[in-house]
């Protein structure tokens, strides 16, 4: 009985001692007893942990945003310029603007007109196959109906001719597989005393058969422009598109029209068609010496070859004041 009494009396005393001890212990001592430390909602430790979480969350969001911006700029550069280089957005075009055209330095040859500065009247011979003819018809209309109205054009369907035998006083447009020449399109003009006597534009199916419709349209627009006397508005494949087909580009979908710049150049060269003037074109009565014709064909073969003209524009004198001018839409090998 005595033992039982002592045990029963000691239990409440031990409990009281334990509770008294807990009240006097620090938080770390409580944890050593197995009690969980409870943090108040506004405790410094919780605020520090929250700040740490906010910092890592913001850092993660910044990384994601930067990755999205880089990916977006690469995609935009690939779509616009044809290569994934966002720095191209900061590369200025070298071509001049309309207000800066200096016709004394702009390179061009022109067709002779009946009346100076009254527009150009010209026949275009269609010697293309059926797959190419719709492109010529489309761009003949775009040049002919443009404002300012400097050209009065007529399409003339002739026998398909991949050799593109020229006709005096006319622009002839052809296509064929001309091989790995280094060019997708070429325009060759016979010039005497600054005037074009005939001109031929050729589309190279060796390359263009593998290209999409935009590339074919761009090439047709480009070579027709040379046929009228236009030069390149820009010769850098890797800068921003100007929006006209005389500008070199790897993204032709942005350069499918002749553009205001080139229409203005044509106006400076030929003037404009009077509103009431008859649009009945007249044939030229001129002739070219036989020896000049033979020399033209020799020069043509040389300039069409891969080694013949590598700069995009070449001139070859063939005697008696005549020379051959070649403009090429070169393949971008870079």
């Amino acid at each position: 009985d005595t033992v039982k009494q002592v045990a029963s009396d000691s239990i409440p005393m031990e409990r009281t001692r334990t509770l008294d001890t807990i009240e006097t212990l620090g938080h770390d001592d409580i944890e050593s007893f197995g009690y969980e430390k409870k943090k108040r909602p506004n405790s410094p430790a919780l605020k520090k942990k929250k700040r740490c979480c906010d910092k890592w969350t913001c850092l993660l969001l910044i990384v994601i945003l930067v990755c999205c911006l880089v990916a977006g700029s690469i995609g935009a550069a690939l779509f616009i310029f044809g290569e994934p280089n966002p720095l191209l957005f900061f590369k200025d075009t070298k071509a001049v603007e309309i207000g800066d055209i200096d016709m004394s330095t702009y390179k061009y040859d022109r067709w002779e007109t009946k009346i100076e500065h009254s527009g150009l009247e010209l026949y275009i011979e269609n010697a293309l196959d059926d797959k190419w003819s719709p492109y010529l018809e489309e761009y003949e209309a775009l040049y002919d109906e443009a404002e300012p109205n400097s050209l009065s054009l007529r399409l003339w369907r002739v026998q398909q001719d991949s050799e593109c035998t020229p006709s005096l006083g006319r622009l002839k447009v052809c296509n064929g597989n001309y091989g790995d020449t280094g060019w997708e399109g070429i325009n060759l003009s016979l010039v005497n005393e600054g005037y074009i006597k005939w001109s031929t534009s050729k589309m190279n199916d060796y390359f263009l058969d593998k290209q999409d419709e935009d590339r074919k349209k761009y090439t047709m627009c480009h070579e027709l422009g040379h046929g009228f006397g236009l030069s390149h508005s820009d010769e850098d494949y890797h800068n921003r598109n100007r929006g006209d087909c005389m500008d070199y580009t790897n993204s032709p979908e942005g350069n499918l029209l002749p553009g205001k710049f080139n229409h203005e150049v044509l106006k400076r060269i030929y003037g404009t068609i009077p509103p009431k003037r008859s649009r009945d074109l007249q044939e030229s009565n001129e002739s070219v010496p036989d020896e000049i014709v033979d020399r033209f064909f020799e020069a043509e073969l040389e300039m069409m070859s891969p080694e013949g003209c590598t700069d995009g524009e070449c001139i070859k004198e063939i005697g008696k004041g005549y020379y051959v001018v070649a403009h090429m839409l070169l393949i971008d090998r870079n």
Side-chain angles (χ1 to χ4, degrees), residues 16 32 45-46 83-84 92 105 124 128 161 164 179 185 202 238 244 261-262 277 283 292 303 319 322 328:
T16 302
S32 66
L46 185 59
E83 56 181 283
D92 293 331
T105 58
I124 301 176
L128 299 160
D161 178 16
C164 222
K202 300 178 182 180
H238 305 288
D244 70 75
F261 176 87
N262 293 303
R277 194 170 87 186
E283 295 286 0
I292 297 299
M303 298 170 95
Y322 287 88
M328 297 180 177

Side-chain angles (χ1 to χ4, degrees), residues 38 138 149 200 212 216 234:
K38 295 183 179 180
E138 176 180 351
N149 183 16
T200 60
D212 59 18
K216 291 171 180 159
D234 180 59

Side-chain angles (χ1 to χ4, degrees), residues 45-256:
L46 185 59
K47 289 182 179 179
K48 182 178 180 182
K49 183 177 180 181
K50 186 176 181 182
R51 285 197 300 269
C52 184
C53 291
D54 290 344
K55 180 176 72 174
W56 286 107
T57 301
C58 291
L59 183 60
L60 179 60
L61 290 174
I62 291 172
V63 170
I64 293 173
L65 179 61
V66 170
C67 290
C68 290
L69 289 173
V70 171
S73 61
I74 290 174
L78 186 63
F79 177 77
I80 296 173
F81 305 116
E83 56 181 283
N85 184 4
L87 295 179
L88 296 176
F89 285 107
F90 305 99
K91 187 174 183 181
D92 293 331
T93 180
K94 295 181 292 184
V96 296
E97 298 301 326
I98 292 175
D100 300 324
I101 299 174
D102 182 357
M103 298 308 292
S104 65
T105 58
Y106 182 88
K107 294 181 180 179
Y108 71 95
D109 292 295
R110 54 169 295 173
W111 294 86
E112 192 170 9
T113 56
K114 293 184 298 182
I115 305 174
E116 194 73 10
H117 299 298
S118 294
L120 170 65
E121 298 177 343
L122 185 66
Y123 274 110
I124 301 176
E125 291 186 340
N126 178 3
L128 299 160
D129 62 20
D130 290 339
K131 73 175 183 291
W132 272 101
S133 289
Y135 301 125
L136 174 58
E137 293 167 2
E138 176 180 351
Y139 282 98
E140 181 271 340
L142 285 173
Y143 277 106
D144 184 62
E145 298 170 3
E147 291 293 339
N149 183 16
S150 301
L151 305 177
S152 179
L153 306 174
R154 285 289 184 273
L155 275 180
W156 191 268
R157 187 58 162 142
V158 298
Q159 185 176 358
Q160 184 180 339
D161 178 16
S162 61
E163 293 186 1
C164 222
T165 305
S167 299
L168 187 62
R170 294 187 176 191
L171 167 61
K172 191 170 188 176
V173 185
C174 316
N175 72 288
N177 187 336
Y178 303 108
D180 188 4
T181 56
W183 48 266
E184 290 179 319
I186 186 172
N187 175 266
L188 291 153
S189 296
L190 178 66
V191 181
N192 180 246
E193 298 180 351
Y195 290 109
I196 301 171
K197 300 304 178 182
W198 66 53
S199 185
T200 60
S201 291
K202 300 178 182 180
M203 317 297 144
N204 192 353
D205 290 330
Y206 179 87
F207 295 107
L208 291 170
D209 273 348
K210 307 167 190 175
Q211 298 289 351
D212 59 18
E213 186 168 299
D214 283 346
R215 192 72 192 181
K216 291 171 180 159
K217 287 184 174 184
Y218 167 74
T219 305
M220 176 62 71
C221 181
H222 188 96
E223 298 309 328
L224 279 180
H226 285 317
F228 303 136
L230 293 173
S231 293
H232 298 132
S233 59
D234 180 59
E235 294 182 338
D236 188 340
Y237 277 100
H238 305 288
N239 61 0
R240 192 177 306 180
N241 278 350
R242 285 177 46 84
D244 70 75
C245 64
M246 303 309 293
D247 168 30
Y248 278 12
T249 182
N250 284 321
S251 301
E253 63 275 5
N255 282 355
L256 292 179

Side-chain angles (χ1 to χ4, degrees), residues 289-300:
D290 291 341
E291 60 183 299
I292 297 299
V293 174
D294 293 337
R295 291 175 188 175
F296 173 85
F297 289 131
E298 292 172 3
E300 179 184 44

Side-chain angles (χ1 to χ4, degrees), residues 118 149 272-279:
S118 294
N149 183 16
T272 55
I273 303 288
K276 297 182 179 180
R277 194 170 87 186
S278 170
R279 291 171 64 91

